[in-house]
Each structure stands twice: as structure tokens, then as C-alpha cells.
């Protein structure tokens, strides 16, 4: 009798194992993001992708509008060159060794209040850049104010764009007589509207 019971018990165990649902296969893990990954692209009004940029309505990279000059230098973390105004007046600081047209940080009253760019490869907040015409810029920035005549460039214009994120930052494009953007800047009022920079 014991010879029959043992094989029957083994068969029950085998049949139970065969009827079990298979273990789910784990989904493949996504490769972890690395610091070397490229930044996400931003779509423009035309649907064309432009590279993400350090430019922001509230600052440039780690440099946030409104901080004092010492905090700016600390946040930037690399050497900044420029001569401070002894009376707290307006002056610019620029990263050491950068090429022509790179970022320039305006300091006035001891605070970082604006940054200027003339580099065609650096994209402004919202996707605009040097070389775009007025129609392209207005398509990207429906909140832009009506363009105004440039104070110094005959036939040129200035396009002022309030921040899309509701912050105090303002973006200003300067356009040449050919109707194309030659430079842009982001800053706080009233400094963002200084046509002469620190003049």
C-alpha cells in the first residue's frame, strides 16, 4: 500500500507545479541618466527643435537675477572678470576666457540685474535667438509688446517680452535694419531697458 501512496503524492505535487502561472518577466530597466546626457530640446513655433540653453527668465545657469555680486561669483563657481564700480554704479562681469559674444552679467547697486548675449548659438528663454526675424520672434512670444524703433539703429527695432513664467524677468531683442535679431538680453526693470548697457 505504501508503494502506491508515494507515487500518487508525487504526481499531485507535479500536477500542481505544472498548473502554476509563470513568473512575470521583469521589464527591462532604462539606462540611468548620466551627466553626459544631452539636454532636452525645446520645440519652436515652427516645430523645429532647438538645443536647450542655460538662459532662463530668472537668470543664466546657476546665476539668478537679484543676487549680490558676491553671491553671483560664488554661484558661478569660476573666475569672472570685470572692474567693479566704486560708487555702486553699473558694470559688467564676464566669465574668464569665453569667446566673443558670450554672456555678460550686469551689476548695478551691487546686484546682478541683467545678462546680455550676442552669440547666435545660445538660445533665449522660449526659443528665440540671434538671426531670427521679427515674425519668427512674435510667433514664439505671443505675449511680446508691440515692437518699438531702436534708439540708435535706423530702421532697427526693439522687441520687449515679459516673462512667460510670471517672474519679474524681461527678455529684450534688438533687431537691425534688416529685420533680424542682432542681440538679446534678460533682466529686471529698469536695467533691462538700458539701450547703452552701462553706457
Amino acid at each position: 500500500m505504501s508503494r502506491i501512496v508515494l507515487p500518487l503524492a508525487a504526481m499531485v505535487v507535479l500536477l500542481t507545479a505544472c498548473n502554476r502561472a509563470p513568473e512575470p518577466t521583469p521589464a527591462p530597466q532604462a539606462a540611468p541618466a548620466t551627466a553626459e546626457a544631452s539636454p532636452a530640446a525645446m520645440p519652436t513655433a515652427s516645430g523645429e527643435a532647438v538645443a536647450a540653453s542655460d538662459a532662463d527668465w530668472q537668470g543664466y545657469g546657476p546665476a539668478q537675477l537679484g543676487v549680490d555680486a558676491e553671491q553671483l561669483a560664488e554661484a558661478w563657481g569660476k573666475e569672472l572678470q570685470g572692474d567693479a564700480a566704486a560708487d555702486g554704479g553699473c558694470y559688467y562681469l564676464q566669465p574668464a576666457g569665453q569667446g566673443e559674444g558670450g554672456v555678460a552679467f550686469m551689476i548695478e547697486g551691487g546686484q546682478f540685474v541683467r545678462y546680455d548675449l550676442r552669440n547666435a548659438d545660445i538660445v533665449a528663454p522660449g526659443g528665440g535667438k540671434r538671426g531670427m526675424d521679427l515674425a519668427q520672434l512674435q510667433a514664439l512670444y505671443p505675449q511680446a509688446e508691440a515692437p518699438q524703433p531702436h534708439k540708435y539703429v535706423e530702421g532697427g527695432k526693439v522687441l520687449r517680452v515679459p516673462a512667460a513664467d510670471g517672474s519679474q524677468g524681461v527678455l529684450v531683442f534688438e533687431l537691425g535694419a534688416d529685420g533680424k535679431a542682432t542681440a538679446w538680453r534678460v533682466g529686471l526693470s529698469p536695467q533691462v531697458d538700458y539701450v547703452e548697457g552701462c553706457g
Side-chain angles (χ1 to χ4, degrees):
M1 191 73 167
S2 62
R3 285 182 186 174
I4 296 171
V5 171
L6 287 174
L8 281 175
M11 285 178 67
V12 169
V13 170
L14 285 172
L15 286 173
T16 305
C18 289
N19 288 332
R20 267 194 354 215
E23 292 289 327
T25 307
Q29 294 287 332
T34 66
E36 300 300 318
S38 353
M42 302 181 296
T44 64
S46 65
E48 168 190 344
V50 293
S53 164
D54 284 333
D56 189 271
W57 295 102
Q58 299 172 46
Y60 189 82
Q64 296 294 292
L65 293 167
V67 299
D68 65 36
E70 192 175 314
Q71 291 170 320
L72 167 66
E74 189 177 326
W76 191 251
K78 296 175 186 172
E79 185 185 351
L80 293 172
Q81 296 176 329
D83 296 323
D87 60 356
C90 181
Y91 66 96
Y92 277 99
L93 291 175
Q94 294 181 301
Q98 78 172 355
E100 192 175 338
V103 67
F105 303 115
M106 179 188 278
I107 311 294
E108 187 172 64
Q111 289 189 306
F112 169 41
V113 291
R114 159 179 156 177
Y115 64 92
D116 297 49
L117 277 145
R118 293 183 179 275
N119 188 322
D121 296 327
I122 299 176
V123 181
K129 60 182 182 173
R130 186 177 173 193
M132 286 186 169
D133 63 30
L134 181 59
Q136 289 174 303
L137 294 172
Q138 288 175 316
L140 283 172
Y141 304 102
Q143 80 274 29
E145 297 170 5
Q148 299 297 314
H150 197 290
K151 186 175 179 181
Y152 297 112
V153 180
E154 191 174 344
K157 295 193 182 308
V158 173
L159 184 67
R160 193 175 193 275
V161 186
D165 65 3
S167 69
Q168 292 182 321
V170 175
L171 169 62
V172 174
F173 286 96
E174 290 188 18
L175 293 89
D178 63 356
K180 294 188 176 180
T182 58
W184 56 269
R185 56 188 181 264
V186 173
L188 306 174
S189 293
Q191 293 90 352
V192 75
D193 297 309
Y194 294 173
V195 181
E196 299 88 354
C198 281

